[in-house]
Amino acid sequence: MSLARVSSFPLSHIEESSRTQPFPITHEEAVNLHSCRAFQAIRGFLSNQQVARFCQHHRPTSKEHEEAWLLQRDITYALILPVLEIYRHAAQLARSMLGDRNIFDLELVFRGDARGAFAWLQCFITEEEEWCSTRGCPACVVSYVLQAEPTIRIVLTACRLAQSLRRANENADIFPVFDFWLSSLRTALDEDEFWQPNFWKDSEQKVANLENGIQQMVRQCINLENVRRSGNGLCRSRHETVMAPTVGVSAEPAKLGTYKLDGTRMVFISEESCWMQRIVLGCWTTLLADAANVGRSAHDVNVKAMPPSVRPLSS
């Protein structure tokens, strides 16, 4: 059973009285984020798709107050977006391998920790559909991170995956820097009367397990794609869905590495990281292209042209 607050919004009497953002951000950190084109694309997408309507508990007292909440909402979405996209591709691949049967047991395609990670993400995304899409009051979206252990876990895991993607890419500047968010989240948890300082240490193993499970899930996705290309699906049917190439795959991911003289592989960048880079870069490339289209047109962005994980999750 997941640990969660029993109170409804506002989540903390401190937030209720001061209406301040739970995660501290310095001016330098904000400037660095805004210099990243991928983060600009995400902000543009959210700005075009969602009207910033605040609830009565979080009504901004100034334009700066409103912008601070919007920035933290956009950071939250930018963090979890790669995790959502990786899950979407894994689920689509599982459906294509199973064909018409067992469509409600997609996790059976995976083994070991990968199966556990897939099932956990599936349950979380289903239960937290609205939060994952960051619909509603921006301040409630941000504050909801501290509502329960699963939301904290997925944000912590997303931070760690973001670090891995940056380390794994030769052109790390294309990925937003979210290292500061880990320290901000830890500060918020330590100062929160419900979670308190011990929670951070207690959650580390769960976060590490989920991150490892996602890495294994990605590895098994690579193997399944190889199986599918060879024409030996797990349960193929004439209705099998073929995954379309991700938009933006022309953006070159980092090289996989070289071999030593004895044939032992020196993996500078793992295939798992390369696969994740392709998925995430494709998503961001689509967002950048659509942001450019919005700049040339007064029409709204066509939601159907978005990558799956940035559409409304019910579509």
Side-chain angles (χ1 to χ4, degrees), residues 89 218 221-222 225 271-279:
H89 279 258
V218 170
C221 282
I222 295 171
E225 286 178 344
E271 289 182 87
E272 291 89 341
S273 294
C274 187
W275 191 91
M276 287 189 289
Q277 288 172 25
R278 177 171 61 86
I279 299 304

Side-chain angles (χ1 to χ4, degrees), residues 45 49 88 129 133 135 303 308-315:
F45 167 75
Q49 289 297 311
R88 292 279 193 176
E129 176 182 350
S133 64
R135 294 195 295 266
V303 175
S309 64
V310 299
R311 301 174 191 166
L313 294 180
S314 58
S315 64

Side-chain angles (χ1 to χ4, degrees), residues 7-52:
S7 60
S8 59
F9 285 128
L11 300 176
S12 163
H13 72 279
I14 297 176
E15 292 174 37
E16 170 64 1
S17 59
S18 62
R19 295 182 181 177
T20 57
Q21 296 75 39
F23 308 115
I25 306 175
T26 67
H27 175 72
E28 182 180 3
E29 291 163 346
V31 170
N32 288 338
L33 267 181
H34 282 98
S35 67
C36 176
R37 290 188 65 212
F39 186 69
Q40 292 173 16
I42 290 171
R43 297 213 77 186
F45 167 75
L46 292 174
S47 175
N48 287 316
Q49 289 297 311
Q50 301 186 23
V51 178

Side-chain angles (χ1 to χ4, degrees), residues 37 77 83 89 94-95 106-107 149 165 203 212 233 255 262 267 270 272 279 286 291 296:
R37 290 188 65 212
Y77 187 73
V83 179
H89 279 258
R95 282 192 292 268
L106 298 180
E107 72 274 8
E149 187 275 331
L165 285 171
S203 66
N212 179 64
K255 297 179 180 179
D262 61 1
V267 182
S270 69
E272 291 89 341
I279 299 304
T286 303
R296 294 190 297 265

Side-chain angles (χ1 to χ4, degrees), residues 62-75:
S62 65
K63 185 63 176 179
E64 292 76 14
H65 191 198
E66 177 181 346
E67 286 300 323
W69 277 119
L70 290 174
L71 175 60
Q72 294 208 5
R73 179 205 62 182
D74 296 351
I75 290 174

